[in-house]
């Protein structure tokens, strides 16, 4: 398989007889930090399974630097402070060499001080709000300029949306993303009164009033669009309420940033046809690499009905980049691997090449997908690779900031004062 062929690059150093020089202890431990219970288990359990598959494949390809890989799985249980405790456990008790994990930004923010204090290495696979660049994190999901901004552009340019409902779960990712989108919409000429913003708790189940408020926005005949940063199982109630109130995609289209194939697999999607999602990957992408990835997933999980999704591809890319960086560095030492990660390239499953920037963000294509009755997406828009921005251009305080860990040695460099604002994250 091509996937295994790329992963097998790690074996070449061993074949060349360089293994004796490697600085590594066997087995190489891979920490998996995903919620297997609680409100986010609907999204994160599959990412745990993805990591187990990737580790199994790498071992089948000969391991890494002459060692077997061992996955160490913990369950932070959708409890944000527990993520920090479990990250510390992975690094100090289990002594893992790398961590792949988190979904919500609040869980990632919880982990940041631990990972930076202990000089761990985290690969974060989910779209997020940006406004961050940690020395110890590689962000393999989308920044706002790789998902949220292009989705709004699609609403403005292709669908003629005049009023926007920004609906999100009440935590840092939706709030920061919507702050960016709010300013972007104002700059695009959308009046303040045409932007409706609402936040709900995790697990929100009663959406009747909120959906009614959104419908009311269209009472004057304006085209309304919903930008959804609703996370976890709250999406079930939201989409059910849309259907209950007879809201179709033609009436009020929804573009979601946290709903993909995995979430839709638990829905009756017949009444969601035509609503949208913005990601960097869809299972329906027609490429040889994606076909092989899906086949490997089905073989591993033993269920051909199981879907693939964007964060799975992010883990796939991040894991293989980490394998190749470890191989180049000849060690699992975090500082050496971190430097070897800059400029790493690996094929996207949708075509083209993902490249890791010195700001620890990937270049990735942006895809808009339309929900089909079978729970898959028709890809209706796809860009070439877009470099991820750590700091948005659409907030004045961020527009002057740059992240460059290679040449500037700083994730938050002020280009006006030519100074590094901070080396550790603003938690």
């Amino acid at each position: 398989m091509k996937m295994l062929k790329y992963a097998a690059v790690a074996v070449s150093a061993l074949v060349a007889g360089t293994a004796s020089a490697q600085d590594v202890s066997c087995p190489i431990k891979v920490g998996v930090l995903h919620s297997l219970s609680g409100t986010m288990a609907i999204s994160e359990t599959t990412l745990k399974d993805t990591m187990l598959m990737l580790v199994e494949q790498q071992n089948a390809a000969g391991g890494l630097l002459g060692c077997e890989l061992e996955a160490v799985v913990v369950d932070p249980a959708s409890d944000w402070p527990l993520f920090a405790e479990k990250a510390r456990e992975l690094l100090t008790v289990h002594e893992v060499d790398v961590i792949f994990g988190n979904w919500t930004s609040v869980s990632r923010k919880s982990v940041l001080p631990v990972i930076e204090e202990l000089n761990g290495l985290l690969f974060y696979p989910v779209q997020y709000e940006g406004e961050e660049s940690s020395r110890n994190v590689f962000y393999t999901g989308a920044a706002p300029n790789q998902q949220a901004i292009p989705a709004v552009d699609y609403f403005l340019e292709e669908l003629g949306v005049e009023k926007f409902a920004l609906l999100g779960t009440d935590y840092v990712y939706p709030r920061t993303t919507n702050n960016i989108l709010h300013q972007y919409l104002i700059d695009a000429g959308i009046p303040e009164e045409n932007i409706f913003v609402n936040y709900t708790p995790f697990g929100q189940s009663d959406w009747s009033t909120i959906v009614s408020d959104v419908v009311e926005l269209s009472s004057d005949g304006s085209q309304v669009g919903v930008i959804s940063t609703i996370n976890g199982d709250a999406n079930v109630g939201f989409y059910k309420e849309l259907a209950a109130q007879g809201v179709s995609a033609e009436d009020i289209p929804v573009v979601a940033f946290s709903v993909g194939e995995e979430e839709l697999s638990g829905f009756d999607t017949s009444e969601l046809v035509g609503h949208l999602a913005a990601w960097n990957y869809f299972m329906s992408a027609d490429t040889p690499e994606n076909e092989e990835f899906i086949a490997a997933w089905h073989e591993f999980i033993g269920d051909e009905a199981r879907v693939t999704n964007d964060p799975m591809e992010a883990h796939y890319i991040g894991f293989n980049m980490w394998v190749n960086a470890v191989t180049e560095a000849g060690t699992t030492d975090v500082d050496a691997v971190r430097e070897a990660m800059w400029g790493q390239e690996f094929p996207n499953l949708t075509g083209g090449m993902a490249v890791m920037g010195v700001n620890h963000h990937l270049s990735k294509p942006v895809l808009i997908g339309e929900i089909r009755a079978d729970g898959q997406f028709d890809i209706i828009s796809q860009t070439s690779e877009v470099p991820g921005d750590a700091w948005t251009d659409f907030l004045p305080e961020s527009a002057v900031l740059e992240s460059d860990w290679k040449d500037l040695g700083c994730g938050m460099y002020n280009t006006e004062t030519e100074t590094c604002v901070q080396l550790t994250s603003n938690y």
Side-chain angles (χ1 to χ4, degrees):
M1 295 179 87
K2 190 173 296 185
M3 181 161 54
L4 295 182
K5 186 163 58 181
Y6 287 116
V9 172
V11 185
S12 62
L14 181 59
V15 173
T18 60
S20 61
Q22 312 301 349
D23 176 21
V24 62
S25 298
C26 298
I28 294 173
K29 295 185 178 181
V30 177
V32 181
L33 184 66
H34 281 301
S35 295
L36 310 181
S37 56
T39 188
M40 291 309 301
I42 185 178
S43 298
E44 293 194 67
T45 300
T46 290
L47 297 187
K48 177 267 294 182
D49 292 334
T50 302
M51 289 308 306
L52 295 181
M53 177 184 75
L54 293 170
V55 166
E56 180 180 285
Q57 288 177 335
Q58 188 62 36
N59 284 333
L64 181 58
L65 301 183
C67 293
E68 286 275 304
L69 299 184
E70 177 187 330
V72 182
V73 178
V74 294
D75 179 15
S78 306
D79 180 329
W80 318 135
L82 189 57
F83 269 87
E85 295 179 29
K86 290 297 183 180
R88 187 174 295 276
E89 176 187 326
L90 285 171
L91 291 169
T92 62
V93 177
H94 301 289
E95 298 183 333
V96 300
D97 297 282
V98 64
I99 296 174
F100 291 83
N102 298 89
W103 182 292
T104 67
S105 283
V106 66
S107 73
R108 189 192 68 257
K109 294 285 189 184
S110 174
V111 165
L112 278 176
V114 175
I115 207 100
E116 291 181 349
E117 172 200 343
L118 299 174
N119 196 31
L121 191 61
L122 172 67
F123 282 76
Y124 177 64
V126 184
Q127 89 294 345
Y128 85 121
E129 71 280 359
E131 308 305 285
E132 181 181 303
S133 180
S134 171
R135 177 195 300 271
N136 297 87
V137 181
F138 285 96
Y139 306 81
T140 55
N145 73 303
Q146 297 171 303
Q147 184 187 40
I149 297 296
V152 167
D153 285 341
Y154 187 85
F155 266 27
L156 290 169
E157 297 165 10
E158 301 297 328
L159 301 185
V161 172
E162 302 162 290
K163 293 184 178 181
F164 287 78
L166 310 183
L167 306 183
T169 302
D170 193 5
Y171 74 105
V172 62
Y173 160 63
R175 284 190 174 273
T176 305
T177 298
N178 286 338
N179 285 343
I180 294 169
L181 294 182
H182 186 276
Q183 186 60 53
Y184 187 75
L185 289 169
I186 294 294
D187 292 346
I190 301 297
E192 178 80 41
E193 59 270 20
N194 287 0
I195 306 172
F196 170 69
V197 183
N198 189 84
Y199 298 102
T200 46
F202 279 96
Q204 176 76 15
S205 58
D206 183 1
W207 289 92
S208 56
T209 300
I210 298 163
V211 170
S212 294
D213 289 342
V214 172
V215 171
E216 178 61 26
L217 292 174
S218 63
S219 61
D220 62 356
S222 298
Q223 177 63 65
V224 175
V226 175
I227 305 290
S228 171
T229 49
I230 300 165
N231 266 249
D233 52 12
N235 279 292
V236 176
F238 171 62
Y239 282 104
K240 282 185 176 179
E241 186 60 34
L242 285 176
Q245 295 198 27
V247 178
S248 71
E250 291 184 359
D251 302 325
I252 300 177
V254 176
V255 62
F257 302 159
S258 295
V259 174
E261 294 86 348
E262 181 70 14
E263 288 74 23
L264 289 181
S265 66
F267 292 177
D268 174 7
T269 55
S270 60
E271 294 177 301
L272 302 184
V273 172
H275 287 301
L276 308 170
W279 291 100
N280 307 117
Y281 165 88
F282 288 110
M283 185 176 182
S284 54
D286 185 14
T287 66
E289 293 85 356
N290 190 38
E291 182 180 348
E292 291 172 4
F293 179 75
I294 294 169
W297 170 242
H298 286 162
E299 181 180 355
F300 174 81
I301 208 71
D303 181 358
E304 294 205 354
R306 286 287 294 275
V307 297
T308 58
N309 63 17
D310 180 287
M312 291 174 67
E313 187 212 28
H315 264 340
Y316 162 76
I317 292 171
F319 177 82
N320 282 288
M321 283 187 170
W322 172 76
V323 164
N324 292 340
V326 168
T327 303
E328 289 180 20
T331 176
T332 56
D333 175 76
V334 166
D335 291 329
V337 173
R338 187 169 57 85
E339 294 185 13
M341 279 292 298
W342 302 325
Q344 283 289 338
E345 298 184 358
F346 199 78
N348 296 304
L349 293 174
T350 56
M353 193 72 67
V355 182
M356 182 58 72
V358 294
N359 65 357
H360 290 195
H361 290 68
L362 283 179
S363 296
K364 305 178 80 174
V366 183
L367 284 64
I368 306 291
E370 187 175 279
I371 297 174
R372 304 190 316 219
D374 64 357
Q376 290 292 320
F377 291 85
D378 282 328
I379 299 170
I380 57 177
S381 173
Q382 179 169 346
T383 71
S384 57
E385 288 80 5
V386 176
D389 286 341
W391 304 99
T392 185
D393 294 332
F394 305 108
L395 297 177
E397 63 272 21
S398 296
V400 300
L401 299 177
E402 181 180 350
S403 170
D404 183 341
W405 288 107
K406 181 176 182 288
D407 295 323
L408 298 176
C410 181
M412 193 177 186
Y413 184 83
N414 189 309
T415 57
E416 290 186 342
T417 62
E418 297 184 345
T419 58
C420 186
V421 179
Q422 59 185 29
L423 284 173
T424 55
S425 298
N426 181 7
Y427 311 119

